[in-house]
Amino acid sequence: MNAGVNTVNAGSANVAERRLAPPSLAISTVIFALRPSESSGRPTLWLPLVQRIREPFRGMWALPGGPLRHDESLQDAASRNLRETTSLAPEYLEQLYAFGGLHRSPSQRVVSIVYWALVRPTEAALAEESENVQWFRADRLGELAFDHNAIVDYALWRLRNKMAYGSIAYHLLGEFFTLAQVREVYEAVLDRQLDPANFRRQIKATPEIEETGEYLQGGKHRPPRLYRFTGTPGLGPDNRSTP
Amino acid sequence: MNAGVNTVNAGSANVAERRLAPPSLAISTVIFALRPSESSGRPTLWLPLVQRIREPFRGMWALPGGPLRHDESLQDAASRNLRETTSLAPEYLEQLYAFGGLHRSPSQRVVSIVYWALVRPTEAALAEESENVQWFRADRLGELAFDHNAIVDYALWRLRNKMAYGSIAYHLLGEFFTLAQVREVYEAVLDRQLDPANFRRQIKATPEIEETGEYLQGGKHRPPRLYRFTGTPGLGPDNRSTP
DNA sequence: ATTAGTTCCAGTCAAAATGACTATAACTAG
DNA sequence: CTAGTTATAGTCATTTTGACTGGAACTAAT
């Protein structure tokens, strides 16, 4: 497996080859999931990284990724990569940006088309961890390989923006959720407290939120009502809807 | 010049070659400018297209584009292409999306990273027209080469969305403008009438709009005050700010 | 069984934003 | 000088937002 970029010819590339060879194309993914913080227990954003097993940046952590195959679309390539590295099959997967700076990789020139995914806690729990694949808190990453720190920063920025408008938070939750859980997602991503009463009023005003008859039992206090999200993902040109 | 996609090997590609060769990478641009409608005289959205001079889709109109060179960033490639085909150097240039479907081009597989640009009327007037380069109304394009109709549709959708929030309209206007001109931009892009008084109130509330002491003279009626936009373009990860 | 503690959830109230509209100012064309 | 047109300010009712209050519903401790 090839972490982040297509490193064909890496090492053997000399200046002449580099100037002549066409830029190689790779697919990477930023995968967000909610996990309870170790300290506070409140949900926070985490993402899985893979450790590079070859040069360049050998031993450093990087976004999952790999080359684009000839018989798969960009989206399919992102999906496959996700499955192969973390065995995840998230329902929310959207193109983030194409990164094509000249010096992203020290050897060959690489253009990376980056996707971002949101996975539910139930799925995220199934994600395999190993020596080479681990989850990290999105706000406490070390120095990553390539320009992957900048990529994660941009993904976080996009996530916060989408959150402010669209109905995207639900893809980080399970099928049924309480309004307080939705609020916790917003608080985790936007990194600020929200008034519970006002927040509930706004969420209930959106037509895509459906009240179920069920209540979440087993809590320590008054059982909250469970809701369900009935809207569509809504994304890019491959699968379009709202901003 | 190579319109829209890199067609190296086109024609000579057989099935075996196609399965083995890596997808080629191209840059295309959607360029929007405001021009007066022929019928009403009100400003409407136009964009320049180039006529393809070789197969596939020979003779059809397509977005300006070409291959990515080894020594230029994606943004630089888009800039250069713009300049070469239309001799435009727009200040607003942003990545739109990477299109990578399997059958975009009938011969070789092509991944296109598409940029979109906004140019001011003064610049647009200088844009060269020729046998092979012409401007078309964005809402009255015929059938274009490749998947370029879908790409333009997506660019229009993004433009409308950005218009609703961000401060993007000013990049379609000159340095000085009246509030009525801003409104006309919104009306052209969103395709609906807006109340002049309420619109003016909203625009004046945004801090990036600066009142100049000047007035637009030469009109048929009361001369409107001229304003200036002092904000930043504000874009993707290469040049970031607001949504 | 009662009480304290916590969360859920409905509701109030003032401030701010929005949409529809009116009135006046400032110019040109005749 | 007048009619026509646009620019601009302002009014007013409605809607949305932010801050806050209080009761309902449950658990845990006394």
Side-chain angles (χ1 to χ4, degrees):
Chain A
M1 180 195 325
N2 202 325
V5 291
N6 184 350
T7 49
V8 171
N9 291 337
S12 73
N14 61 32
V15 173
E17 281 173 5
R18 180 168 184 174
R19 287 183 60 84
L20 292 173
S24 72
L25 198 51
I27 307 289
S28 296
T29 50
V30 182
I31 306 157
F32 289 122
L34 240 39
R35 298 192 152 197
S37 151
E38 289 134 331
S39 45
S40 72
R42 307 173 69 80
T44 48
L45 278 176
W46 292 66
L47 52 86
L49 298 175
V50 302
Q51 196 166 26
R52 286 190 58 80
I53 54 177
R54 61 180 83 173
E55 295 295 343
F57 298 105
R58 179 173 180 165
M60 292 185 74
W61 295 94
L63 296 170
L68 173 68
R69 293 188 185 162
H70 61 80
D71 61 344
E72 61 188 359
S73 70
L74 303 178
Q75 182 116 4
D76 289 345
S79 264
R80 174 179 57 78
N81 235 288
L82 229 61
R83 194 176 56 249
E84 287 177 0
T85 57
T86 61
S87 66
L88 286 171
E91 63 170 68
Y92 189 96
L93 181 63
E94 188 186 2
Q95 193 182 112
L96 177 68
Y97 199 79
F99 293 85
L102 272 63
H103 306 295
R104 301 183 57 244
S105 174
S107 48
Q108 199 193 8
R109 167 117 188 247
V110 179
V111 173
S112 287
I113 298 177
V114 180
Y115 277 72
W116 59 309
L118 302 182
V119 303
R120 307 187 145 170
T122 50
E123 296 176 290
L126 300 175
E128 289 162 4
E129 279 204 295
S130 69
E131 182 82 7
N132 293 326
V133 180
Q134 278 179 37
W135 288 79
F136 295 85
R137 270 190 66 158
D139 56 350
R140 296 193 191 161
L141 304 175
E143 192 187 341
L144 306 184
F146 305 103
D147 55 352
H148 290 189
N149 281 299
I151 293 177
V152 172
D153 284 347
Y154 180 60
L156 278 169
W157 177 80
R158 277 269 292 262
L159 178 60
R160 293 196 179 100
N161 272 317
K162 282 236 166 188
M163 193 81 82
Y165 306 108
S167 44
I168 195 185
Y170 312 102
H171 301 285
L172 286 166
L173 293 169
E175 186 183 358
F176 302 100
F177 47 81
T178 71
L179 296 187
Q181 286 173 331
V182 181
R183 179 169 48 84
E184 282 182 320
V185 176
Y186 274 77
E187 289 180 338
V189 173
L190 301 179
D191 197 29
R192 61 190 175 95
Q193 301 271 108
L194 299 170
D195 181 273
N198 292 336
F199 183 81
R200 122 185 321 273
R201 179 176 53 192
Q202 292 211 48
I203 296 297
K204 291 195 75 170
T206 76
E208 294 158 319
I209 301 302
E210 193 178 83
E211 193 173 272
T212 74
E214 310 294 314
Y215 293 81
L216 178 63
Q217 303 294 348
K220 293 185 177 180
H221 309 289
R222 174 176 175 178
R225 189 182 285 272
L226 287 171
Y227 292 80
R228 181 198 282 115
F229 178 68
T230 60
T232 87
L235 310 165
D238 301 318
N239 175 14
R240 177 142 25 124
S241 101
T242 82
Chain B
M1 176 199 324
N2 203 326
V5 292
N6 183 349
T7 49
V8 172
N9 293 336
S12 72
N14 61 33
V15 173
E17 280 173 7
R18 180 168 185 174
R19 289 184 57 85
L20 292 172
S24 73
L25 199 51
I27 306 288
S28 294
T29 51
V30 183
I31 306 158
F32 289 120
L34 241 38
R35 298 193 150 195
S37 151
E38 289 134 331
S39 45
S40 72
R42 307 173 69 80
T44 48
L45 279 175
W46 293 66
L47 52 86
L49 297 175
V50 303
Q51 196 166 27
R52 286 190 58 80
I53 54 177
R54 60 179 83 171
E55 295 295 343
F57 297 105
R58 180 173 179 164
M60 293 184 75
W61 296 95
L63 295 170
L68 173 68
R69 292 186 185 163
H70 61 79
D71 60 343
E72 61 189 0
S73 69
L74 303 179
Q75 182 114 5
D76 288 345
S79 262
R80 175 180 55 79
N81 235 287
L82 228 61
R83 193 175 56 248
E84 287 177 0
T85 57
T86 61
S87 66
L88 286 171
E91 62 170 71
Y92 189 95
L93 180 63
E94 187 185 3
Q95 193 181 112
L96 178 67
Y97 200 78
F99 294 85
L102 271 64
H103 307 294
R104 302 183 56 243
S105 175
S107 48
Q108 199 195 6
R109 167 119 189 244
V110 179
V111 173
S112 286
I113 298 177
V114 180
Y115 277 73
W116 60 310
L118 303 183
V119 303
R120 308 188 144 169
T122 49
E123 298 175 289
L126 301 174
E128 289 163 6
E129 280 203 294
S130 69
E131 182 82 7
N132 292 326
V133 180
Q134 277 180 38
W135 288 79
F136 295 85
R137 270 190 65 159
D139 56 350
R140 296 191 191 162
L141 303 175
E143 192 187 341
L144 306 183
F146 306 103
D147 55 352
H148 289 189
N149 282 299
I151 293 177
V152 172
D153 285 347
Y154 179 61
L156 278 168
W157 177 80
R158 276 269 291 262
L159 178 60
R160 294 196 178 99
N161 271 319
K162 282 235 167 188
M163 193 80 82
Y165 307 108
S167 43
I168 196 185
Y170 312 102
H171 301 285
L172 287 166
L173 293 169
E175 185 183 359
F176 301 100
F177 47 82
T178 70
L179 296 187
Q181 286 172 331
V182 181
R183 179 167 48 83
E184 282 182 320
V185 176
Y186 274 78
E187 289 178 339
V189 173
L190 301 179
D191 196 31
R192 62 190 174 94
Q193 301 272 109
L194 298 170
D195 181 274
N198 292 337
F199 183 81
R200 122 186 319 275
R201 180 176 52 191
Q202 294 210 49
I203 296 296
K204 292 195 75 170
T206 76
E208 294 159 319
I209 301 301
E210 193 178 82
E211 193 174 272
T212 74
E214 309 295 314
Y215 293 81
L216 178 63
Q217 304 293 349
K220 295 184 174 180
H221 309 290
R222 173 174 175 179
R225 189 183 287 271
L226 288 170
Y227 293 80
R228 181 196 283 117
F229 178 68
T230 60
T232 88
L235 308 167
D238 302 319
N239 177 14
R240 175 137 31 121
S241 101
T242 81

